[in-house]
PDB file of all heavy atoms in Angstrom:
ATOM      1  N   ARG A  18      -3.690  -5.890   0.780  1.00 94.00           N
ATOM      2  CA  ARG A  18      -2.324  -5.609   1.241  1.00 94.00           C
ATOM      3  C   ARG A  18      -1.686  -4.490   0.423  1.00 94.00           C
ATOM      4  O   ARG A  18      -1.031  -3.611   0.963  1.00 94.00           O
ATOM      5  CB  ARG A  18      -1.448  -6.862   1.160  1.00 94.00           C
ATOM      6  CG  ARG A  18      -1.712  -7.842   2.256  1.00 94.00           C
ATOM      7  CD  ARG A  18      -0.820  -9.078   2.061  1.00 94.00           C
ATOM      8  NE  ARG A  18      -1.043 -10.021   3.111  1.00 94.00           N
ATOM      9  CZ  ARG A  18      -0.333 -10.082   4.234  1.00 94.00           C
ATOM     10  NH1 ARG A  18       0.653  -9.245   4.435  1.00 94.00           N
ATOM     11  NH2 ARG A  18      -0.597 -10.979   5.152  1.00 94.00           N
ATOM     12  N   PHE A  19      -1.874  -4.555  -0.885  1.00 94.00           N
ATOM     13  CA  PHE A  19      -1.299  -3.546  -1.776  1.00 94.00           C
ATOM     14  C   PHE A  19      -1.887  -2.172  -1.466  1.00 94.00           C
ATOM     15  O   PHE A  19      -1.166  -1.179  -1.408  1.00 94.00           O
ATOM     16  CB  PHE A  19      -1.569  -3.946  -3.229  1.00 94.00           C
ATOM     17  CG  PHE A  19      -0.878  -3.091  -4.244  1.00 94.00           C
ATOM     18  CD1 PHE A  19       0.462  -3.282  -4.543  1.00 94.00           C
ATOM     19  CD2 PHE A  19      -1.567  -2.112  -4.930  1.00 94.00           C
ATOM     20  CE1 PHE A  19       1.103  -2.505  -5.487  1.00 94.00           C
ATOM     21  CE2 PHE A  19      -0.947  -1.324  -5.886  1.00 94.00           C
ATOM     22  CZ  PHE A  19       0.403  -1.527  -6.161  1.00 94.00           C
ATOM     23  N   GLU A  20      -3.194  -2.117  -1.266  1.00 93.00           N
ATOM     24  CA  GLU A  20      -3.842  -0.842  -0.965  1.00 93.00           C
ATOM     25  C   GLU A  20      -3.389  -0.290   0.384  1.00 93.00           C
ATOM     26  O   GLU A  20      -3.193   0.909   0.536  1.00 93.00           O
ATOM     27  CB  GLU A  20      -5.356  -0.986  -1.037  1.00 93.00           C
ATOM     28  CG  GLU A  20      -5.827  -1.155  -2.479  1.00 93.00           C
ATOM     29  CD  GLU A  20      -7.315  -1.432  -2.609  1.00 93.00           C
ATOM     30  OE1 GLU A  20      -8.000  -1.649  -1.583  1.00 93.00           O
ATOM     31  OE2 GLU A  20      -7.792  -1.440  -3.759  1.00 93.00           O
ATOM     32  N   ARG A  21      -3.190  -1.160   1.374  1.00 93.00           N
ATOM     33  CA  ARG A  21      -2.693  -0.710   2.680  1.00 93.00           C
ATOM     34  C   ARG A  21      -1.270  -0.170   2.576  1.00 93.00           C
ATOM     35  O   ARG A  21      -0.900   0.756   3.281  1.00 93.00           O
ATOM     36  CB  ARG A  21      -2.729  -1.847   3.700  1.00 93.00           C
ATOM     37  CG  ARG A  21      -4.084  -2.048   4.328  1.00 93.00           C
ATOM     38  CD  ARG A  21      -3.999  -2.901   5.582  1.00 93.00           C
ATOM     39  NE  ARG A  21      -3.311  -4.165   5.391  1.00 93.00           N
ATOM     40  CZ  ARG A  21      -3.906  -5.327   5.109  1.00 93.00           C
ATOM     41  NH1 ARG A  21      -5.215  -5.371   4.970  1.00 93.00           N
ATOM     42  NH2 ARG A  21      -3.212  -6.419   4.959  1.00 93.00           N
ATOM     43  N   ALA A  22      -0.472  -0.771   1.685  1.00 91.00           N
ATOM     44  CA  ALA A  22       0.915  -0.332   1.505  1.00 91.00           C
ATOM     45  C   ALA A  22       0.968   1.067   0.888  1.00 91.00           C
ATOM     46  O   ALA A  22       1.941   1.786   1.078  1.00 91.00           O
ATOM     47  CB  ALA A  22       1.675  -1.318   0.633  1.00 91.00           C
ATOM     48  N   GLY A  23      -0.047   1.431   0.137  1.00 88.00           N
ATOM     49  CA  GLY A  23      -0.112   2.771  -0.435  1.00 88.00           C
ATOM     50  C   GLY A  23       0.451   2.881  -1.832  1.00 88.00           C
ATOM     51  O   GLY A  23      -0.120   3.537  -2.676  1.00 88.00           O
ATOM     52  N   SER A  24       1.580   2.252  -2.086  1.00 77.00           N
ATOM     53  CA  SER A  24       2.169   2.288  -3.425  1.00 77.00           C
ATOM     54  C   SER A  24       3.358   1.344  -3.470  1.00 77.00           C
ATOM     55  O   SER A  24       3.791   0.826  -2.441  1.00 77.00           O
ATOM     56  CB  SER A  24       2.620   3.707  -3.778  1.00 77.00           C
ATOM     57  OG  SER A  24       3.667   4.104  -2.932  1.00 77.00           O
ATOM     58  N   GLY A  25       3.887   1.161  -4.645  1.00 86.00           N
ATOM     59  CA  GLY A  25       5.083   0.342  -4.804  1.00 86.00           C
ATOM     60  C   GLY A  25       4.808  -1.137  -4.730  1.00 86.00           C
ATOM     61  O   GLY A  25       3.835  -1.634  -5.287  1.00 86.00           O
ATOM     62  N   VAL A  26       5.647  -1.836  -4.000  1.00 92.00           N
ATOM     63  CA  VAL A  26       5.611  -3.292  -3.898  1.00 92.00           C
ATOM     64  C   VAL A  26       5.498  -3.668  -2.430  1.00 92.00           C
ATOM     65  O   VAL A  26       6.070  -3.025  -1.565  1.00 92.00           O
ATOM     66  CB  VAL A  26       6.895  -3.896  -4.506  1.00 92.00           C
ATOM     67  CG1 VAL A  26       6.933  -5.395  -4.337  1.00 92.00           C
ATOM     68  CG2 VAL A  26       7.006  -3.529  -5.981  1.00 92.00           C
ATOM     69  N   THR A  27       4.758  -4.736  -2.155  1.00 94.00           N
ATOM     70  CA  THR A  27       4.654  -5.250  -0.791  1.00 94.00           C
ATOM     71  C   THR A  27       4.791  -6.763  -0.846  1.00 94.00           C
ATOM     72  O   THR A  27       5.051  -7.334  -1.904  1.00 94.00           O
ATOM     73  CB  THR A  27       3.334  -4.786  -0.134  1.00 94.00           C
ATOM     74  OG1 THR A  27       3.365  -5.102   1.256  1.00 94.00           O
ATOM     75  CG2 THR A  27       2.109  -5.406  -0.792  1.00 94.00           C
ATOM     76  N   ARG A  28       4.611  -7.425   0.260  1.00 94.00           N
ATOM     77  CA  ARG A  28       4.725  -8.892   0.343  1.00 94.00           C
ATOM     78  C   ARG A  28       3.467  -9.479   0.964  1.00 94.00           C
ATOM     79  O   ARG A  28       2.804  -8.841   1.771  1.00 94.00           O
ATOM     80  CB  ARG A  28       5.918  -9.277   1.221  1.00 94.00           C
ATOM     81  CG  ARG A  28       7.225  -8.704   0.778  1.00 94.00           C
ATOM     82  CD  ARG A  28       8.016  -9.725   0.070  1.00 94.00           C
ATOM     83  NE  ARG A  28       9.282  -9.130  -0.377  1.00 94.00           N
ATOM     84  CZ  ARG A  28       9.950  -9.590  -1.377  1.00 94.00           C
ATOM     85  NH1 ARG A  28       9.511 -10.640  -2.027  1.00 94.00           N
ATOM     86  NH2 ARG A  28      11.072  -9.037  -1.749  1.00 94.00           N
ATOM     87  N   ASP A  29       3.167 -10.725   0.576  1.00 91.00           N
ATOM     88  CA  ASP A  29       2.042 -11.408   1.203  1.00 91.00           C
ATOM     89  C   ASP A  29       2.524 -12.132   2.452  1.00 91.00           C
ATOM     90  O   ASP A  29       3.694 -12.022   2.833  1.00 91.00           O
ATOM     91  CB  ASP A  29       1.324 -12.346   0.220  1.00 91.00           C
ATOM     92  CG  ASP A  29       2.132 -13.579  -0.165  1.00 91.00           C
ATOM     93  OD1 ASP A  29       3.210 -13.832   0.420  1.00 91.00           O
ATOM     94  OD2 ASP A  29       1.685 -14.304  -1.073  1.00 91.00           O
ATOM     95  N   GLU A  30       1.632 -12.874   3.092  1.00 89.00           N
ATOM     96  CA  GLU A  30       1.971 -13.550   4.347  1.00 89.00           C
ATOM     97  C   GLU A  30       3.048 -14.619   4.183  1.00 89.00           C
ATOM     98  O   GLU A  30       3.696 -15.006   5.135  1.00 89.00           O
ATOM     99  CB  GLU A  30       0.719 -14.138   5.006  1.00 89.00           C
ATOM    100  CG  GLU A  30       0.012 -15.194   4.192  1.00 89.00           C
ATOM    101  CD  GLU A  30      -0.913 -14.650   3.115  1.00 89.00           C
ATOM    102  OE1 GLU A  30      -1.165 -13.442   3.058  1.00 89.00           O
ATOM    103  OE2 GLU A  30      -1.375 -15.464   2.293  1.00 89.00           O
ATOM    104  N   SER A  31       3.268 -15.071   2.950  1.00 93.00           N
ATOM    105  CA  SER A  31       4.309 -16.065   2.671  1.00 93.00           C
ATOM    106  C   SER A  31       5.609 -15.439   2.181  1.00 93.00           C
ATOM    107  O   SER A  31       6.551 -16.149   1.866  1.00 93.00           O
ATOM    108  CB  SER A  31       3.809 -17.051   1.610  1.00 93.00           C
ATOM    109  OG  SER A  31       2.662 -17.715   2.062  1.00 93.00           O
ATOM    110  N   GLY A  32       5.620 -14.107   2.058  1.00 94.00           N
ATOM    111  CA  GLY A  32       6.814 -13.427   1.604  1.00 94.00           C
ATOM    112  C   GLY A  32       6.884 -13.219   0.101  1.00 94.00           C
ATOM    113  O   GLY A  32       7.878 -12.706  -0.404  1.00 94.00           O
ATOM    114  N   ARG A  33       5.830 -13.624  -0.609  1.00 94.00           N
ATOM    115  CA  ARG A  33       5.812 -13.429  -2.067  1.00 94.00           C
ATOM    116  C   ARG A  33       5.527 -11.969  -2.397  1.00 94.00           C
ATOM    117  O   ARG A  33       4.762 -11.309  -1.702  1.00 94.00           O
ATOM    118  CB  ARG A  33       4.758 -14.326  -2.716  1.00 94.00           C
ATOM    119  CG  ARG A  33       5.129 -15.810  -2.620  1.00 94.00           C
ATOM    120  CD  ARG A  33       4.044 -16.653  -3.208  1.00 94.00           C
ATOM    121  NE  ARG A  33       2.860 -16.497  -2.349  1.00 94.00           N
ATOM    122  CZ  ARG A  33       1.999 -17.445  -2.089  1.00 94.00           C
ATOM    123  NH1 ARG A  33       2.124 -18.628  -2.639  1.00 94.00           N
ATOM    124  NH2 ARG A  33       0.973 -17.227  -1.289  1.00 94.00           N
ATOM    125  N   THR A  34       6.128 -11.506  -3.474  1.00 96.00           N
ATOM    126  CA  THR A  34       5.981 -10.123  -3.906  1.00 96.00           C
ATOM    127  C   THR A  34       4.594  -9.849  -4.453  1.00 96.00           C
ATOM    128  O   THR A  34       4.051 -10.633  -5.229  1.00 96.00           O
ATOM    129  CB  THR A  34       7.024  -9.801  -4.996  1.00 96.00           C
ATOM    130  OG1 THR A  34       8.322 -10.019  -4.443  1.00 96.00           O
ATOM    131  CG2 THR A  34       6.903  -8.377  -5.484  1.00 96.00           C
ATOM    132  N   ILE A  35       4.032  -8.731  -4.035  1.00 95.00           N
ATOM    133  CA  ILE A  35       2.762  -8.239  -4.584  1.00 95.00           C
ATOM    134  C   ILE A  35       3.077  -6.902  -5.241  1.00 95.00           C
ATOM    135  O   ILE A  35       3.430  -5.938  -4.571  1.00 95.00           O
ATOM    136  CB  ILE A  35       1.709  -8.028  -3.482  1.00 95.00           C
ATOM    137  CG1 ILE A  35       1.408  -9.339  -2.764  1.00 95.00           C
ATOM    138  CG2 ILE A  35       0.436  -7.421  -4.075  1.00 95.00           C
ATOM    139  CD1 ILE A  35       0.539  -9.168  -1.535  1.00 95.00           C
ATOM    140  N   ASP A  36       2.966  -6.884  -6.569  1.00 95.00           N
ATOM    141  CA  ASP A  36       3.193  -5.652  -7.307  1.00 95.00           C
ATOM    142  C   ASP A  36       1.954  -5.331  -8.144  1.00 95.00           C
ATOM    143  O   ASP A  36       0.927  -6.008  -8.033  1.00 95.00           O
ATOM    144  CB  ASP A  36       4.448  -5.747  -8.173  1.00 95.00           C
ATOM    145  CG  ASP A  36       4.371  -6.848  -9.224  1.00 95.00           C
ATOM    146  OD1 ASP A  36       3.291  -7.452  -9.421  1.00 95.00           O
ATOM    147  OD2 ASP A  36       5.394  -7.094  -9.875  1.00 95.00           O
ATOM    148  N   GLU A  37       2.041  -4.307  -8.949  1.00 95.00           N
ATOM    149  CA  GLU A  37       0.890  -3.861  -9.741  1.00 95.00           C
ATOM    150  C   GLU A  37       0.365  -4.965 -10.654  1.00 95.00           C
ATOM    151  O   GLU A  37      -0.843  -5.117 -10.821  1.00 95.00           O
ATOM    152  CB  GLU A  37       1.271  -2.632 -10.558  1.00 95.00           C
ATOM    153  CG  GLU A  37       0.091  -2.008 -11.280  1.00 95.00           C
ATOM    154  CD  GLU A  37      -0.999  -1.492 -10.359  1.00 95.00           C
ATOM    155  OE1 GLU A  37      -0.688  -0.889  -9.328  1.00 95.00           O
ATOM    156  OE2 GLU A  37      -2.190  -1.709 -10.671  1.00 95.00           O
ATOM    157  N   ALA A  38       1.239  -5.774 -11.231  1.00 96.00           N
ATOM    158  CA  ALA A  38       0.798  -6.855 -12.121  1.00 96.00           C
ATOM    159  C   ALA A  38      -0.022  -7.900 -11.363  1.00 96.00           C
ATOM    160  O   ALA A  38      -1.051  -8.380 -11.860  1.00 96.00           O
ATOM    161  CB  ALA A  38       1.998  -7.509 -12.791  1.00 96.00           C
ATOM    162  N   VAL A  39       0.413  -8.241 -10.164  1.00 96.00           N
ATOM    163  CA  VAL A  39      -0.327  -9.202  -9.332  1.00 96.00           C
ATOM    164  C   VAL A  39      -1.701  -8.629  -8.988  1.00 96.00           C
ATOM    165  O   VAL A  39      -2.723  -9.319  -9.065  1.00 96.00           O
ATOM    166  CB  VAL A  39       0.472  -9.533  -8.051  1.00 96.00           C
ATOM    167  CG1 VAL A  39      -0.372 -10.344  -7.073  1.00 96.00           C
ATOM    168  CG2 VAL A  39       1.750 -10.263  -8.394  1.00 96.00           C
ATOM    169  N   VAL A  40      -1.731  -7.363  -8.637  1.00 96.00           N
ATOM    170  CA  VAL A  40      -2.980  -6.715  -8.247  1.00 96.00           C
ATOM    171  C   VAL A  40      -3.941  -6.611  -9.438  1.00 96.00           C
ATOM    172  O   VAL A  40      -5.144  -6.839  -9.283  1.00 96.00           O
ATOM    173  CB  VAL A  40      -2.700  -5.331  -7.616  1.00 96.00           C
ATOM    174  CG1 VAL A  40      -3.982  -4.565  -7.356  1.00 96.00           C
ATOM    175  CG2 VAL A  40      -1.926  -5.512  -6.320  1.00 96.00           C
TER     176      VAL A  40
END
Side-chain angles (χ1 to χ4, degrees):
R18 284 178 179 267
F19 188 80
E20 289 175 352
R21 278 196 307 266
S24 65
V26 176
T27 190
R28 304 258 179 205
D29 70 8
E30 62 278 351
S31 300
R33 292 177 294 215
T34 301
I35 299 171
D36 61 9
E37 187 62 42
V39 171
V40 173

